[in-house]
Amino acid sequence: MGNSLALYNPPTRVAEEFAMIDCISGGRLIAGFPVGTPMDTCYAYGTNPSMLREKYMEAHDLVMKAWTEKETFAFNGRFNQQRYVNIWPRPVQEPHPPVWIPGGGSVETWAWCAKMDYVYAYLSYYGYKAGLKTMQGFWGEMEKLGKDRNPYRAGFLQFVGVAPTRSEAMERYAEAAEYFYGRCLHVDLKYASPPGYNTEATQRVGLESQVRAAAEAAADPSKGKDALAAQGTTGSTTGTRFNMVAKTMEDIVDRGYVIVGSPKDVEEQLREVAVNMNVGHLMLLLQYGNMSKDLAKYNTKMFADHVAPKLRPLFAEWEDKWWPKPMEKANRAELPAFAPRVQAAE
Amino acid sequence: MPFERMNDPLPPTTMRLKNSKEFLPVSEPTTTTIDINGHACRVWTKGSGPKIGWLAGFGGLPRWTPFLDELAKTRTVIAPSLPGHPGATGHNLLDSHLDWIVAARQVIVKSGLEGEDIAGSSVGGSFVAEFAALWPHKVKRIAMIAPWGLFDEKDPATDVWAQRPDDQPGVLCANPQIWQDFKAVPPGANSVEWPIEQIRASEAAARVFWPLGNTKIEKRLPLILAPTLLLWGEQDRVMPRSYADTMAKLIEGKTTIKTVPGAGHLADLDQPAATAKAILEFMS
């Protein structure tokens, strides 16, 4: 579950809501702390883009302290001041649920994940081909910071469609995939870059690569053109990318946004994705665009029955320290005999 | 580390309008700095005669302008940069509107403008109003071009931060080319740091005014005692003209409204001579 930390006042609301989910699920929560997209955080919620990241970091500190501090405490922050922090409920998982940080490829986020020992989850939406460079950058940074290559430090989002054969998969999932890439990522350019949303360090990296691409274009027009085009595809905002995005099923699959095929095809490709990117947590989207409930259930079942078991042994040599630790079965509540939804439906 | 990431010092670059030699400068301003919360803020000074302060509008002062040259013909123009605007950092230390008002006061006082005539445009104009309201005996006369601070949902101000890059120049200036020239990377400037400085100026304004530009300035306008000139570009596409009337009604000091033909929101950029003339006549 993800919750944009800077949007809540006070952020202890996030601590309590997440803790409630952790309780209800018997300790199965992964706490995702996204910064949030420009459109939702700054334009729709009205959060000041210049303070967004400062508020995010402070809210993170407050939530973590609220989860781990056993006594009531006062929080005297820059943006949040609470005399009595005393959350209820508290999370089941000790010392707190695992934390995953969804990010778009900024070096600062990687360094922070390394420092805090959190999972870095790259939600690219553009598949493994576009994501490879970012994940290589991530691992390069981990090496620089002296961190091991435990693949479970990383998560990667990937769209998947499974059917008995590749051609059937192409046919079944085309409508949903084309719906998603043709409509769901569109953000008007005017809402793409509220000032301050991207840190100056991130702006600098982007501008330096633009300058390099322009220099390449000047030196060698054919090569430079590719460099400039690549910038558009992997640009820093959904707005800048939208026009470059593939919108037909052939292109979508060709570029790796969605992995489709028979269980064996999908298994092979996902194995390649996981190994090449060294990613232990694949966050798979098996429902996307306008996919019907039946097809989503079918896709999920196909994946769970025929693909997932084959991938489980991958990275067995590493310990996943970032996976939820549910309560012992003996400690869980028994399911109630009364099922109100079933009764209501009847 | 206040100086980290700042541009190498460059000589002030004067705006050179295409097809116009009319406003080329006779000399460059002198550059000094003042310390605001441990950060250096640039102060440009030029001209002779009685002092007049200038707090620039949205985007700050990336370069010296023909408008300031007009003022400098008869006045000593002192143009300090507000935190986060070109030539100054430190905006990210300011978390509340009170923090900003205190910083703006320090900027005004430290650049020697206490008790003087002060003018300002849009973002800067808002701080001129705040200073004149809270320290009414520390200003002589004030002139403001479409100052920010109000928001009327029946006549909303335009969201300057929700513009496609191609549209923004035409939102801010009647002649979009003027804004483009104003913000263009000058020869010899760092092509990475220059655009970052321009985004920083927009961010600094956002830090104060996001999301609506509404600082509830209407509560403080009645405290302004100084004679006040409100200037509005006839083609201002950011601040509705009705805001001038609202402000004039609330300001206690004698207030005059003038519109500038052929000017957009940043009237001093669009019509330097006419805007300067209006201010100089008012403050003579």
Side-chain angles (χ1 to χ4, degrees), chain A residues 174-241:
Chain A
E175 188 188 335
E178 287 176 358
Y179 183 101
F180 183 83
Y181 286 101
R183 299 177 184 220
C184 298
L185 291 175
H186 181 64
V187 176
D188 193 304
L189 256 185
K190 64 186 184 178
Y191 301 119
S193 301
Y197 179 85
N198 288 325
T199 64
E200 291 189 3
T202 301
Q203 290 173 41
R204 200 162 281 117
V205 169
L207 284 160
E208 279 163 358
S209 92
Q210 274 175 29
V211 168
R212 262 200 311 277
E216 279 179 26
D220 178 353
S222 57
K223 194 179 161 202
K225 209 173 155 191
D226 291 346
L228 287 169
Q231 283 231 323
T233 318
T234 57
S236 61
T237 68
T238 49
T240 55
R241 270 180 262 165

Side-chain angles (χ1 to χ4, degrees), chain A residues 6 47-48 51-60 79-80:
Chain A
T47 303
N48 194 311
M51 299 182 196
L52 180 66
R53 283 167 202 277
E54 291 157 355
K55 284 187 172 171
Y56 171 91
M57 296 308 286
E58 183 177 303
H60 161 270
F79 306 102
N80 302 279

Side-chain angles (χ1 to χ4, degrees), chain A residues 42-43 46-51 54 78-79 188-191 193-196 198 200-201 203-204 207-208 211, chain B residues 5 91-96 159 161-165 191-193 195-196 199-200 202-203 206-208 210-211:
Chain A
C42 300
Y43 290 104
T47 303
N48 194 311
S50 180
M51 299 182 196
E54 291 157 355
R78 225 173 131 175
F79 306 102
D188 193 304
L189 256 185
K190 64 186 184 178
Y191 301 119
S193 301
N198 288 325
E200 291 189 3
Q203 290 173 41
R204 200 162 281 117
L207 284 160
E208 279 163 358
V211 168
Chain B
R5 306 298 190 197
H91 63 292
N92 48 13
L93 297 176
L94 309 175
D95 296 336
S96 65
D159 186 351
W161 297 289
Q163 300 297 328
R164 295 176 190 174
S191 58
V192 170
E193 295 306 317
I196 289 175
I199 295 169
R200 189 186 298 140
S202 177
E203 179 192 337
R207 199 162 174 105
V208 199
W210 190 276

Side-chain angles (χ1 to χ4, degrees), chain B residues 25-274:
Chain B
V26 286
S27 65
E28 302 289 5
T30 57
T31 304
T32 51
T33 58
I34 50 175
D35 180 281
I36 306 295
N37 301 318
H39 286 250
C41 292
R42 182 195 68 200
V43 181
W44 272 341
T45 305
K46 186 177 173 180
S48 56
K51 285 180 186 177
I52 179 169
W54 174 249
L55 297 186
F58 180 79
L61 274 183
R63 62 223 313 151
W64 188 253
T65 68
F67 161 77
L68 295 173
D69 261 347
E70 286 294 303
L71 295 182
K73 283 178 182 170
T74 54
R75 306 287 296 256
T76 301
V77 178
I78 299 175
S81 290
L82 289 165
H85 289 76
T89 50
H91 63 292
N92 48 13
L93 297 176
L94 309 175
D95 296 336
S96 65
H97 193 231
L98 179 60
D99 284 351
W100 275 97
I101 291 175
V102 171
R105 180 186 178 276
Q106 284 179 286
V107 165
I108 288 167
V109 171
K110 288 189 174 185
S111 56
L113 288 167
E114 206 174 7
E116 305 290 346
D117 290 332
I118 307 179
S121 172
S122 100
V123 167
S126 195
F127 287 111
V128 171
E130 299 286 2
F131 183 76
L134 295 175
W135 295 277
H137 303 294
K138 300 288 185 185
V139 283
K140 209 181 278 176
R141 290 161 295 202
I142 60 170
M144 300 178 287
I145 304 168
W148 291 18
L150 291 181
F151 189 82
D152 177 357
E153 57 261 53
K154 293 194 192 87
D155 195 4
T158 300
D159 186 351
V160 295
W161 297 289
Q163 300 297 328
R164 295 176 190 174
D166 291 348
D167 294 338
Q168 195 190 42
V171 167
L172 295 166
C173 286
N175 177 358
Q177 188 61 46
I178 287 182
W179 175 259
Q180 280 165 359
D181 290 349
F182 187 52
K183 287 284 176 178
V185 185
N190 184 320
S191 58
V192 170
E193 295 306 317
W194 178 274
I196 289 175
E197 198 173 38
Q198 309 320 310
I199 295 169
R200 189 186 298 140
S202 177
E203 179 192 337
R207 199 162 174 105
V208 199
F209 294 102
W210 190 276
L212 299 178
N214 180 3
T215 58
K216 302 192 192 308
I217 201 171
E218 67 273 18
K219 292 181 179 176
R220 297 174 295 280
L221 290 174
L223 304 175
I224 296 176
L225 305 176
T228 301
L229 173 66
L230 281 170
L231 283 172
W232 234 264
E234 205 171 60
Q235 297 167 42
D236 191 330
R237 297 188 188 102
V238 178
M239 285 291 146
R241 171 63 179 74
S242 66
Y243 290 19
D245 298 325
T246 306
M247 288 182 165
K249 272 183 210 146
L250 290 165
I251 292 168
E252 179 69 18
K254 185 174 184 303
T255 302
T256 311
I257 300 176
K258 270 194 179 172
T259 50
V260 184
H265 178 59
L266 300 170
D268 54 301
L269 297 183
D270 271 320
Q271 297 295 338

Side-chain angles (χ1 to χ4, degrees), chain A residues 275-296:
Chain A
V275 171
N276 285 352
M277 292 191 178
N278 195 40
V279 166
H281 298 120
L282 287 173
M283 302 149 78
L284 302 182
L285 282 179
L286 296 152
Q287 190 282 332
Y288 36 87
N290 64 348
M291 194 186 289
S292 69
K293 185 178 172 186
D294 285 346
L295 186 55

